[in-house]
Amino acid sequence: MGAPAAQLLLLLFACRWAPGGANLSQDGYWQEQDLELGTLAPLDEAISSTVWSSPDMLASQDSQPWTSDETVVAGGTVVLKCQVKDHEDSSLQWSNPAQQTLYFGEKRALRDNRIQLVSSTPHELSISISNVALADEGEYTCSIFTMPVRTAKSLVTVLGIPQKPIITGYKSSLREKETTTLNCQSSGSKPAAQLTWRKGDQELHGEPTRIQEDPNGKTFTVSSSVTFQVTREDDGATIMCSVNHESLKGADRSTSQRIEVLYTPTAMIRPDPPHPREGQKLLLHCEGRGNPVPQQYLWEKEGSVPPLKITQESALIFPFLNKSDSGTYGCTAISNMGSYKAYYTLNVNDPSPVPSSSSTYHAIIGGIVAFIVFLLLILLIFLGHYLIRHKGTYLTHEAKGSDDAPDADTAIINAEGGQSGGDDKKEYFI
C-alpha cells in the first residue's frame, strides 16, 4: 500500500474517533463548534499518535505550544500558562492529569470553582487553581488542535507542609551528670523534611532523620532523637527541635522543651562592710546557690565549739565588733541534694577613721566657704578705701568755700573777751 493510501486510512480512522460526529473542514481542521467539551481525550490520543510523513501536514515549530513546570505549597494557588506563537486559527486547551478538560479557550469544561480563567487569547491560555491539594499534583497538558494536535506538558509539584514537631521523652527533672534522650517527630511533609536539634545557641548532633510514609501514600512522617549528659549549667536551658523544609520558605517551625537539672549547692561569704573595724556592726552573708536552693546554713568559727548558729537565715550578725572576733569562719549551705562549705577570714581593724567620701565632701564645702569669706574681705577693703577718699574730698571742698576758715590744718582759737562777750575758750580742729 502506497503512502497516500496509508495517509487516507489514518484520516478515516481519526474521523471515526472524532467526538460528537465532528467533521473535518476543507482546510483540514476540526470544526470547533461541533466539539463536545470534556471528551477530547480520545481524539488527542488518536491523532497525536499518528506519524505524519507528508510535508504538507508537518507543522512548523511556531505552532508548538510551550509551558513551564510549577511548584506550589499545599493550600496555595498555582497559575498554569500555555503560549503558542502561531495558533493556526485553533484554540488552546488545558486538561488535568486525569485527562479531563479544564478549559477550552475561554470556555469552562470542568465544574470546579477552584479553577478560574486568567487569560484567553489566540496566543495564550492561562488558568489558576486555588487551594491546591496534594491530589492536584501531576502532569497537566496544554493542547492545540492543529493537524496534527500538538501538546505541551506542565508538571505541577505540590509541597506538603510539615506539622509543628513534638518533643517526647522528657521527665520532670534531671540530676546533674544524668544522661537523657529526647525524641522529636513531625508529620505531613512532602518531600520528607529534615529535623535539627539545638540547646540554646549550641547545635546538638542527633541521630539521622528517620523517614516513614504516611497512610495517604503522599506525605511523610520524620523523626529524630538526641542523647546528651546534663550539667548544672543546663538548668533552665531550652532544647529546640526545628523542621527544615522548602515549603516553609525560611520560616521557623520548631518546638522547645525547657529542662530542669538538680545539683548540689555552692556558697560564698560576703562581708558588709567589706573592711570591718572595731566598734562597727558587721554582717557576714552566706550566698548559697543550687537547685533546690539551700534550706539551712550552719555557721562555725575555727577553734570554737559548738557551732555558732544553725538557721534558715544566711547572715551572721556582729552588733559590735571586737578584736576577739577576728578568726576564720565557715558557712555550710545545706539542701536535699547535698552541702557545701565556704570560708572567710575576719580581721578586725583599728577604729581609726578611714578616709571616706564624707570627709572629702566636707573638705570641698570648707574650701567653698573660705573662698566666699575671702571675697567678702576683698569687698570690704575696697569699700573702706572708697569711703576714706570720698570723705577727704568733701572736707577740702568746704574749706575752700568758707571766708572764716583758718589757713592752718589745725587752729586753736582762744576767745577771751572776744566780740561775743563770753569767757568760753573754743577750739576748732580741721
Side-chain angles (χ1 to χ4, degrees):
M1 183 181 295
Q7 293 174 4
L8 180 61
L9 288 176
L10 287 172
L11 282 173
L12 291 174
F13 177 77
C15 291
R16 179 178 180 82
W17 278 85
N23 299 319
L24 194 67
S25 64
Q26 294 180 356
D27 55 0
Y29 295 104
W30 295 108
Q31 297 290 341
E32 294 180 9
Q33 62 270 22
D34 295 333
L35 292 176
E36 183 178 350
L37 296 180
T39 59
L40 297 178
L43 176 64
D44 184 3
E45 294 174 359
I47 300 180
S48 61
S49 61
T50 306
V51 179
W52 301 94
S53 58
S54 173
D56 296 335
M57 295 184 179
L58 291 177
S60 65
Q61 292 295 326
D62 292 343
S63 299
Q64 176 64 39
W66 71 88
T67 62
S68 61
D69 295 338
E70 303 293 339
T71 300
V72 61
V73 177
T77 300
V78 64
V79 175
L80 302 179
K81 185 176 183 180
C82 180
Q83 294 175 292
V84 65
K85 188 173 182 180
D86 183 5
H87 57 85
E88 296 185 10
D89 295 328
S90 184
S91 297
L92 293 168
Q93 170 190 290
W94 271 113
S95 56
N96 63 15
Q99 292 303 312
Q100 295 174 310
T101 302
L102 304 180
Y103 266 90
F104 185 77
E106 61 182 8
K107 298 178 182 179
R108 180 195 294 270
L110 188 66
R111 293 183 178 179
D112 188 341
N113 292 331
R114 300 179 307 137
I115 305 173
Q116 297 294 328
L117 180 66
V118 176
S119 174
S120 177
T121 68
H123 299 280
E124 177 186 334
L125 178 60
S126 296
I127 62 174
S128 67
I129 306 175
S130 60
N131 195 22
V132 175
L134 293 173
D136 294 322
E137 184 175 81
E139 274 192 344
Y140 288 74
T141 305
C142 174
S143 306
I144 184 167
F145 290 91
T146 58
M147 292 295 290
V149 174
R150 293 175 176 81
T151 61
K153 303 289 185 179
S154 174
L155 177 62
V156 175
T157 302
V158 181
L159 303 179
I161 304 176
Q163 297 178 3
K164 185 176 181 179
I166 301 173
I167 295 178
T168 58
Y170 174 73
K171 53 186 181 180
S172 59
S173 58
L174 303 168
R175 289 180 174 266
E176 186 178 15
K177 297 183 180 180
E178 185 178 351
T179 299
T180 185
T181 299
L182 300 179
N183 303 302
C184 181
Q185 180 176 292
S186 174
S187 302
S189 59
K190 178 182 174 299
Q194 292 294 318
L195 299 175
T196 57
W197 292 93
R198 298 191 72 84
K199 180 175 68 176
D201 296 331
Q202 175 188 357
E203 182 179 357
L204 294 177
H205 299 286
E207 295 182 359
T209 302
R210 299 181 295 274
I211 303 173
Q212 182 178 358
E213 189 177 64
D214 291 335
N216 60 20
K218 294 181 179 295
T219 59
F220 299 90
T221 294
V222 294
S223 59
S224 177
S225 60
V226 64
T227 302
F228 59 97
Q229 186 182 61
V230 298
T231 65
R232 62 181 57 202
E233 287 77 17
D234 294 328
D235 183 37
T238 299
I239 308 299
M240 182 177 295
C241 176
S242 301
V243 180
N244 298 324
H245 195 261
E246 55 186 309
S247 66
L248 301 177
K249 298 180 180 179
D252 177 64
R253 177 153 295 186
S254 60
T255 190
S256 60
Q257 175 65 61
R258 185 181 181 275
I259 61 174
E260 180 184 12
V261 180
L262 304 177
Y263 58 95
T264 56
T266 60
M268 63 174 295
I269 299 175
R270 179 178 58 84
D272 183 22
H275 304 288
R277 292 188 172 273
E278 190 175 8
Q280 287 183 328
K281 180 181 179 180
L282 173 67
L283 280 79
L284 294 181
H285 296 278
C286 186
E287 298 177 344
R289 297 179 181 177
N291 188 18
V293 296
Q295 295 90 23
Q296 275 191 335
Y297 296 91
L298 172 64
W299 284 97
E300 299 174 286
K301 182 181 180 182
E302 287 188 355
S304 176
V305 179
L308 299 176
K309 191 178 183 182
I310 301 177
T311 179
Q312 293 182 349
E313 302 294 332
S314 61
L316 182 63
I317 303 174
F318 298 84
F320 191 86
L321 275 179
N322 294 314
K323 287 284 188 179
S324 59
D325 293 324
S326 297
T328 300
Y329 291 81
C331 170
T332 303
I334 305 169
S335 74
N336 55 12
M337 288 296 296
S339 61
Y340 183 89
K341 190 170 185 179
Y343 294 92
Y344 173 75
T345 300
L346 172 62
N347 294 314
V348 180
N349 299 315
D350 294 332
S352 57
V354 178
S356 63
S357 59
S358 61
S359 61
T360 304
Y361 173 76
H362 292 155
I364 293 173
I365 295 299
I368 293 173
V369 172
F371 180 71
I372 293 174
V373 172
F374 175 75
L375 290 180
L376 290 175
L377 289 175
I378 295 297
L379 182 61
L380 290 174
I381 291 172
F382 276 102
L383 184 59
H385 277 285
Y386 173 76
L387 292 176
I388 292 173
R389 293 187 60 182
H390 181 71
K391 183 178 181 181
T393 304
Y394 175 74
L395 293 177
T396 302
H397 175 71
E398 283 191 349
K400 290 180 179 180
S402 177
D403 294 336
D404 297 333
D407 296 333
D409 292 337
T410 303
I412 300 175
I413 304 174
N414 297 323
E416 296 179 356
Q419 296 178 1
S420 62
D423 295 334
D424 295 334
K425 181 181 178 180
K426 298 181 179 179
E427 297 180 356
Y428 293 89
F429 296 88
I430 299 177

